[in-house]
Amino acid sequence: MGKPKKTVSDACDSWLKTCLRNELERSTLKAYRSHAKIHIEPRIGHLLVSDLSRSEVRDFMDELLDDDVSRALVKKIMISLRAILSEAVEREWATHNAAAEVKVKRSSRRDAKRAEIPTKEEIRKIINNAPKTHRAMFITAIFTGMRISELRGLTWEAVDFDRKVIRVFQRADEYCEIGLPKSRAGAREIPMAPMVLNTLGDWQALRLKSDQNLVFPNTVGKVQNYSNIYNRVFKPMLVENEIVDHEGNAKFGIHALRHAAASLFIEQGWTPKKIQTLLGHASITMTMDVYGHLFENAEEDVSMFEKLERDLLAA
């Protein structure tokens, strides 16, 4: 009697159980479940993993793109599909991973969306007009490039006033639960600019009650909810200070504060590797994909080529 035939849906269920068994964060499990149940199973869940071909996987990927699923999300779904089929191979339900070599190609330069970065004037407006309840948080974000999840999970033990550094070793997820950083690179030390040092010193003096010793707790001392920060504080602040788009809506999300920090780091002439470390990116590729265009300086490039010519001909 041969082995029972397993479908892609069977492999999805097995993989999700493995992820749950490995105690992945709830937000990660939620994303993986969405990939499997909303995108993968409805389209190819009925297919047998033993018969699945590379062509069928490619058709699945193209169908997602044709249905206007964003290229970024399609990449994540394909990563999940590869993991699902890898699980099937490990369980001997299939002999090979049909998705292993099917990749989402880079979008053209024409279609690529660059991160929208606040101008210096907009950054100064935020610093000068942020509500007292969140000014310290926003200033810390602007000068350190910390993720909002890292700021929500920041504790006073991680703020070293003597060494003038902030140690990042945890973050708060979308459920307000404290966990490890997004990746190994997320654990890092970030120097504090004088404004951050002084602002956090003043903020600490207020001694907001928090059983978890959080730097930026909510009114009852717990982890702040991300949507509350954005909808009740950040967005109204932008609108009130006319930092808006052509329709009068808030121009940026909170993540723009991290982009602002990166742009300031780059303007100082710091190396991509140093900026990768400060931002906690898992790879230099990620840093360059998001901020590579900010390193470009046409006038400086011209000067470099003029010097190259002078040095060559002088020899």
Side-chain angles (χ1 to χ4, degrees), residues 78-93:
M78 290 301 296
I79 290 172
S80 292
L81 180 59
R82 290 185 202 105
I84 289 165
L85 296 180
S86 178
E87 171 104 359
V89 171
E90 286 184 11
R91 293 184 179 277
E92 298 184 332
W93 296 344

Side-chain angles (χ1 to χ4, degrees), residues 94-163:
T95 58
H96 67 285
N97 188 332
E101 296 180 9
V102 181
K103 310 290 185 183
V104 181
K105 294 181 179 179
R106 286 176 177 263
S107 59
S108 66
R109 288 178 180 267
R110 182 180 63 233
D111 298 330
K113 289 185 178 179
R114 288 179 173 176
E116 194 162 10
I117 298 169
T119 64
K120 283 188 175 180
E121 181 183 354
E122 290 167 338
I123 294 171
R124 285 191 287 266
K125 274 189 179 181
I126 293 171
I127 291 174
N128 294 330
N129 298 286
K132 290 182 180 179
T133 56
H134 288 76
R135 183 172 182 269
M137 173 185 274
F138 296 162
I139 285 176
T140 304
I142 288 168
F143 284 98
T144 65
M146 290 173 65
R147 300 174 176 91
I148 192 67
S149 60
E150 295 167 343
L151 291 164
R152 290 166 53 234
L154 184 66
T155 59
W156 284 114
E157 291 91 345
V159 182
D160 190 330
F161 287 102
D162 293 330
R163 294 178 56 230

Side-chain angles (χ1 to χ4, degrees), residues 295-308:
F295 287 94
E296 298 170 4
N297 185 323
E299 293 181 1
E300 184 178 294
D301 289 346
V302 170
S303 298
M304 288 169 57
F305 273 80
E306 289 175 349
K307 182 177 184 301
L308 180 152

Side-chain angles (χ1 to χ4, degrees), residues 239 242-251:
V239 173
E242 300 182 345
I243 305 175
V244 294
D245 59 22
H246 63 281
E247 295 179 349
N249 299 317
K251 190 175 179 181

Side-chain angles (χ1 to χ4, degrees), residues 100-301:
E101 296 180 9
V102 181
K103 310 290 185 183
V104 181
K105 294 181 179 179
R106 286 176 177 263
S107 59
S108 66
R109 288 178 180 267
R110 182 180 63 233
D111 298 330
K113 289 185 178 179
R114 288 179 173 176
E116 194 162 10
I117 298 169
T119 64
K120 283 188 175 180
E121 181 183 354
E122 290 167 338
I123 294 171
R124 285 191 287 266
K125 274 189 179 181
I126 293 171
I127 291 174
N128 294 330
N129 298 286
K132 290 182 180 179
T133 56
H134 288 76
R135 183 172 182 269
M137 173 185 274
F138 296 162
I139 285 176
T140 304
I142 288 168
F143 284 98
T144 65
M146 290 173 65
R147 300 174 176 91
I148 192 67
S149 60
E150 295 167 343
L151 291 164
R152 290 166 53 234
L154 184 66
T155 59
W156 284 114
E157 291 91 345
V159 182
D160 190 330
F161 287 102
D162 293 330
R163 294 178 56 230
K164 301 180 181 179
V165 298
I166 292 175
R167 292 186 297 113
V168 181
F169 57 83
Q170 63 183 30
R171 66 186 181 99
D173 66 15
E174 63 179 296
Y175 302 99
C176 296
E177 294 181 355
I178 301 294
L180 295 174
K182 288 188 70 174
S183 66
R184 194 173 299 175
R188 61 200 189 280
E189 287 191 346
I190 307 173
M192 287 188 279
M195 179 176 281
V196 176
L197 189 70
N198 295 331
T199 301
L200 288 182
D202 294 341
W203 183 247
Q204 186 184 45
L206 297 177
R207 301 197 178 280
L208 299 179
K209 183 179 178 182
S210 171
D211 292 339
Q212 295 169 286
N213 204 26
L214 296 168
V215 176
F216 305 115
N218 62 16
T219 54
V220 293
K222 304 297 184 182
V223 175
Q224 290 197 60
N225 180 278
Y226 171 84
S227 62
N228 286 345
I229 299 172
Y230 177 68
N231 291 311
R232 299 180 185 179
V233 183
F234 193 76
K235 184 163 69 171
M237 174 193 67
L238 295 188
V239 173
E240 184 178 336
N241 290 278
E242 300 182 345
I243 305 175
V244 294
D245 59 22
H246 63 281
E247 295 179 349
N249 299 317
K251 190 175 179 181
F252 308 112
I254 299 179
H255 200 71
L257 300 182
R258 181 166 160 85
H259 294 328
S263 69
L264 295 173
F265 296 163
I266 293 168
E267 188 179 79
Q268 294 302 307
W270 298 348
T271 66
K273 189 63 182 176
K274 177 183 283 295
I275 294 169
Q276 175 204 340
T277 301
L278 290 171
L279 294 177
H281 282 161
S283 70
I284 193 70
T285 302
M286 184 182 299
T287 306
M288 297 306 293
D289 281 349
V290 179
Y291 303 114
H293 63 288
L294 296 181
F295 287 94
E296 298 170 4
N297 185 323
E299 293 181 1
E300 184 178 294
D301 289 346

Side-chain angles (χ1 to χ4, degrees), residues 23 25 27 30 55 62 66 126 180 207 210 234 247 253 272:
E23 299 182 345
E25 286 190 357
S27 57
K30 181 180 177 182
S55 175
D62 289 344
D66 290 343
I126 293 171
L180 295 174
R207 301 197 178 280
S210 171
F234 193 76
E247 295 179 349

